[in-house]
Amino acid sequence: SPTQPVYITDENPLGIEERAMLKLRLTEGINLGEFGERRLTVERKLPSLIENGYIRRNGENIALTPKGFLVSNAVIGTLIFE
């Protein structure tokens, strides 16, 4: 059976997990402020991800590096779920 498309609107916003998964894959990445109450948890994980070359940080924005794209699910999982 065909699946229904999901439209993201103000009435149907994405959770931070989905939003981060989508935005981290974009060149401009995601603003750390979008993590809300999870920001500190995410920021604590950044140094090792940056040091290992998976994430780049530009001020308040973080994004995947080319190396990070290759293992994006693992990197995003580490940032958000662990």
Side-chain angles (χ1 to χ4, degrees):
S1 69
T3 58
Q4 287 292 99
V6 176
Y7 296 99
I8 308 307
T9 64
D10 289 340
E11 293 78 36
N12 182 27
L14 285 174
I16 183 56
E17 294 88 359
E18 294 88 356
R19 197 163 63 244
M21 282 187 221
L22 292 170
K23 293 186 98 172
L24 275 167
R25 289 181 171 99
L26 300 175
T27 306
E28 59 271 19
I30 188 170
N31 187 288
L32 288 169
E34 291 191 54
F35 288 102
E37 60 197 31
R38 293 192 190 178
R39 179 184 174 136
L40 289 177
T41 303
V42 168
E43 281 197 275
R44 278 196 291 270
K45 298 172 186 175
L46 289 178
S48 66
L49 291 170
I50 292 169
E51 186 178 312
N52 288 303
Y54 296 117
I55 292 271
R56 62 181 165 75
R57 182 172 184 174
N58 182 6
E60 286 291 290
N61 281 358
I62 59 171
L64 293 169
T65 63
K67 179 181 174 182
F69 271 102
L70 297 175
V71 289
S72 61
N73 288 343
V75 173
I76 292 166
T78 297
L79 268 181
I80 298 171
F81 299 113
E82 291 179 14

